Amino acid sequence: MKKVMSVIIPVYNVEEFIFRTVESVMNQDYKNIEIILVDDGSLDNSAKIINELAKKDDRITCVHKENGGVLSARNAGLRIASGEYVTFIDGDDWVEPKYIAYLLNLVESNKCEIGMNKNNYSDYNTKSNEEEYVVSAEKAIEWIYLGDIFVAVWNKIYSMKFLKNNILFDEKIWYGEGMLFNIDCLQFVDSIAVGEKSVYHQVSNPNSAMRKFNVDSNLCGIRSLEIQKKHWRKSNPAIVDAWNYHRRAFNLSIVRGLLKSDIEQEYQELYDSCMNNLKKQLWISLKVPISLREKLSYIAWAIIPSFMPKRCKNKVRIKIRKR
């Protein structure tokens, strides 16, 4: 008998997108699936739409709960999932008809309990190829910190076998939550399968809070990194360097965000601290295997910090004028 794939989709105020999202799962080439739609207290017509979809397909289970955030919704889905494997899809995205079959084949043919796809379709990326390979869990951890594998939990597949070790999303971490979940999962396996064929479509949702700069979110991301380090069972010098690099990258993200939002004076102490860290920890960015362009950018911020903020602000002003 074919193995069951549990598909968990958190739903919150996505009435514009959710029909296409769910329909793309209903129309999968691989049919042995359960579709768990968790309405997280939506204020629009999302709940009504998923209830109507459930009437058309008995593979759909709808869960309606008070608003608790996307992590609470994913955890609610995990607690009732009955499949041998689970995958997550965001409520405003959609997937190719071969999405589930591709991920299942990726892990089963390579005898792994986790499969991670390096590519997906978005406004910024159309890469896709047939490459697939197996890497150690340690290498996957390093790649996640360096950005070679996207940190989100969508576009991935997990065996429920090891998730039953009570691995859930930390509901106190709302930013950097996907990275924390993935890093936790990787502590329980020796290797993972990696694919590069794009079968997932990430949709630009202008209303998504996760795609807007927020100081508290970035600070939460740093807390997530600190928690991850405490959870490490697997570590080596390359992972430590990659973790330090990602930690430093948050400093740059905060500085750029404050400048683009023109609020650096409001957060002067945080701004100064991040700028000092960029200068003090320059060596971190030079040690890790990132592109020359990225390294030059970090060097510029560290060596001529007085110039880079002005350059950043000028870019923002030019964009505003063009509008």
Side-chain angles (χ1 to χ4, degrees):
M1 183 177 177
K2 287 186 175 181
K3 293 185 177 179
V4 177
M5 168 76 96
S6 298
V7 183
I8 298 174
I9 305 176
V11 178
Y12 181 71
N13 291 352
V14 283
E15 62 180 4
E16 181 183 348
F17 307 97
I18 193 60
F19 182 86
R20 179 175 66 176
T21 302
V22 179
E23 190 175 48
S24 74
V25 180
M26 293 165 60
N27 294 333
Q28 287 293 298
D29 296 340
Y30 190 90
K31 303 299 182 185
N32 202 22
I33 60 178
E34 66 170 3
I35 306 169
I36 302 173
L37 307 178
V38 185
D39 169 40
D40 190 42
S42 294
L43 302 176
D44 62 3
N45 290 314
S46 296
K48 181 180 178 181
I49 293 170
I50 65 173
N51 285 340
E52 290 299 316
L53 286 166
K55 294 176 182 178
K56 300 178 181 179
D57 196 321
D58 60 10
R59 298 174 299 174
I60 295 177
T61 298
C62 291
V63 177
H64 298 279
K65 59 184 286 297
E66 291 183 1
N67 179 255
V70 65
L71 308 183
S72 172
R74 286 176 182 155
N75 282 340
L78 277 174
R79 289 188 179 101
I80 64 170
S82 61
E84 285 90 345
Y85 293 98
V86 64
T87 188
F88 300 93
I89 298 173
D90 280 359
D92 45 8
D93 296 336
W94 61 283
V95 292
E96 294 284 331
K98 55 185 174 289
Y99 174 75
I100 290 174
Y102 175 74
L103 289 180
L104 275 171
N105 181 68
L106 181 64
V107 289
E108 299 240 300
S109 64
N110 290 293
K111 296 180 173 56
C112 294
E113 292 188 277
I114 299 177
M116 297 187 173
N117 200 334
K118 290 186 75 171
N119 292 328
N120 66 279
Y121 293 118
S122 70
D123 291 346
Y124 315 102
N125 183 38
T126 57
K127 292 180 181 178
S128 182
N129 65 65
E130 301 291 337
E131 289 292 316
E132 58 181 63
Y133 38 88
V134 175
V135 301
S136 68
E138 287 84 356
K139 179 57 69 175
I141 293 170
E142 179 189 348
W143 281 357
I144 287 175
Y145 286 139
L146 294 178
D148 293 328
I149 295 179
F150 195 49
V151 298
V153 296
W154 46 257
N155 207 19
K156 297 173 178 64
I157 180 174
Y158 308 87
S159 168
M160 285 298 292
K161 188 186 300 183
F162 74 84
L163 286 181
K164 288 176 181 175
N165 291 319
N166 203 30
I167 299 177
L168 292 168
F169 291 90
D170 185 336
E171 295 179 22
K172 296 179 182 178
I173 298 296
W174 73 90
Y175 196 86
E177 80 290 346
M179 177 181 281
L180 176 54
F181 182 84
N182 281 316
I183 297 301
D184 279 351
C185 287
L186 287 165
Q187 308 307 312
F188 291 90
V189 300
D190 294 324
S191 58
I192 73 159
V194 179
E196 297 192 5
K197 185 177 182 65
S198 288
V199 288
Y200 189 102
H201 293 259
Q202 184 188 21
V203 176
S204 293
N205 181 355
N207 298 317
S208 173
M210 299 303 289
R211 293 170 190 172
K212 299 174 184 176
F213 174 74
N214 181 286
V215 174
D216 289 337
S217 291
N218 276 268
L219 294 176
C220 181
I222 292 174
R223 287 199 300 277
S224 172
L225 276 174
E226 299 293 344
I227 293 171
Q228 291 162 40
K229 195 171 186 179
K230 291 177 182 178
H231 290 185
W232 283 353
R233 297 182 182 184
K234 301 176 185 292
S235 180
N236 59 37
I239 288 176
V240 174
D241 286 344
W243 183 91
N244 282 324
Y245 163 76
H246 200 89
R247 178 76 165 72
R248 184 176 185 271
F250 264 113
N251 286 274
L252 184 55
S253 174
I254 290 171
V255 166
R256 283 175 169 167
L258 291 175
L259 288 168
K260 288 182 179 180
S261 303
D262 203 26
I263 55 173
E264 73 274 16
Q265 291 183 349
E266 184 180 343
Y267 293 91
Q268 192 66 54
E269 186 175 345
L270 175 62
Y271 175 81
D272 291 342
S273 174
C274 289
M275 288 295 288
N276 286 335
N277 287 337
L278 287 175
K279 187 170 184 178
K280 289 178 183 177
Q281 301 170 353
L282 174 60
W283 62 273
I284 294 172
S285 301
L286 301 180
K287 284 179 67 177
V288 296
I290 57 176
S291 71
L292 177 60
R293 182 177 180 179
E294 288 176 289
K295 288 184 178 181
L296 289 174
S297 175
Y298 278 111
I299 291 171
W301 278 95
I303 295 178
I304 45 174
S306 60
F307 169 73
M308 293 304 287
K310 294 177 183 177
R311 180 172 178 270
C312 187
K313 279 190 172 181
N314 286 336
K315 278 189 174 182
V316 176
R317 292 192 184 104
I318 290 170
K319 286 181 181 178
I320 292 173
R321 290 194 200 104
K322 284 182 178 179
R323 290 174 188 169

